[in-house]
Amino acid sequence: MLNQRLKNALHNKNQPVDPHAELRDVLGDVGLAAEDSGGEITFVGADPIVPRTLSLASAPGIAQVAKSVGMAKLRQLRGGPGQDISMDLRKAPHRLCPFYEGKWEKLNGLLPVAYWDALPPDSVSMPLFYRTADDRHMMSVAIYPKLETDLLRLLDATDSVESVVPPIATAATDSATDRRIRLRDRGITHHGPARGRAGP
């Protein structure tokens, strides 16, 4: 599927993208829907933002909105209200170049640690893919302060790849919606067999 979409992009450059349709597709991969935000979802601007083969605005923008929908759903499960979500696609390409610009997203006002400088190669904070029971993949992205501690507590594991493989391998077979959301809440992103959540 991804291979064919990339071939199509090469032969049909600068094609418009329907971000709402692509968002539905991305959210469907993890059992969510746009309505799970509990509010209105809007996109400002549209691809092509810059001349390109791939959708350099829609891809990061839709991924950001998908994460926001997951967090809004989690908030509602904990008794909170729904949330309106707005994404300015004209600014979205900046999401792809944190190394170049030296600007990272903050979590609770904190920047991620420079994990590539100090961590051993088998640390769960390294961005590695782990296979699940239903042949999908999850990635641990525990690069923010305290996030690794929360992740290891959730998985009942220690800071090693060998220790986290078994609990992640069974995560997708657990039918409890709350566990799936808690996995995302603790820094694990979920990917389909052929493509990531960024969609287009």
Side-chain angles (χ1 to χ4, degrees):
M1 180 178 178
L2 176 60
N3 187 48
Q4 187 57 50
R5 294 186 71 172
L6 290 173
K7 288 181 178 179
N8 289 340
L10 286 172
H11 296 292
N12 299 282
K13 297 181 179 180
N14 299 317
Q15 292 297 306
V17 175
D18 182 346
H20 290 282
E22 296 294 345
L23 177 63
R24 287 194 296 271
D25 184 35
V26 171
L27 290 172
D29 279 352
V30 292
L32 291 173
E35 292 75 17
D36 288 322
S37 69
E40 183 180 1
I41 297 177
T42 58
F43 290 92
V44 179
D47 267 318
I49 299 297
V50 295
R52 83 302 183 257
T53 298
L54 301 179
S55 305
L56 297 181
S58 295
I62 291 169
Q64 290 291 86
V65 172
K67 289 192 291 186
S68 297
V69 170
M71 295 306 296
K73 177 66 174 180
L74 179 64
R75 185 184 187 193
Q76 292 171 79
L77 290 175
R78 293 175 175 174
Q83 181 176 335
D84 291 333
I85 300 170
S86 178
M87 179 69 212
D88 190 341
L89 293 176
R90 298 168 300 181
K91 299 179 180 179
H94 290 284
R95 178 67 177 84
L96 301 175
C97 49
F99 286 100
Y100 176 76
E101 295 186 337
K103 296 179 180 179
W104 290 81
E105 295 171 321
K106 293 182 179 179
L107 181 63
N108 295 326
L110 300 174
L111 290 168
V113 297
Y115 61 86
W116 49 85
D117 289 336
L119 293 178
D122 66 340
S123 171
V124 298
S125 291
M126 297 298 287
L128 304 175
F129 282 100
Y130 299 93
R131 187 179 300 276
T132 62
D134 56 355
D135 201 32
R136 291 174 176 261
H137 293 81
M138 289 185 173
M139 175 185 284
S140 62
V141 190
I143 62 175
Y144 288 86
K146 296 185 65 178
L147 194 58
E148 180 181 302
T149 300
D150 288 346
L151 172 62
L152 293 175
R153 184 181 296 117
L154 173 67
L155 297 176
D156 192 24
T158 59
D159 186 13
S160 70
V161 171
E162 182 179 274
S163 179
V164 302
V165 166
I168 291 180
T170 60
T173 63
D174 189 332
S175 61
T177 299
D178 183 59
R179 175 170 172 79
R180 292 170 60 195
I181 292 176
R182 283 189 295 130
L183 285 172
R184 290 195 294 273
D185 188 35
R186 291 297 187 270
I188 297 181
T189 59
H190 191 244
H191 297 258
R195 65 179 177 85
R197 293 188 303 169

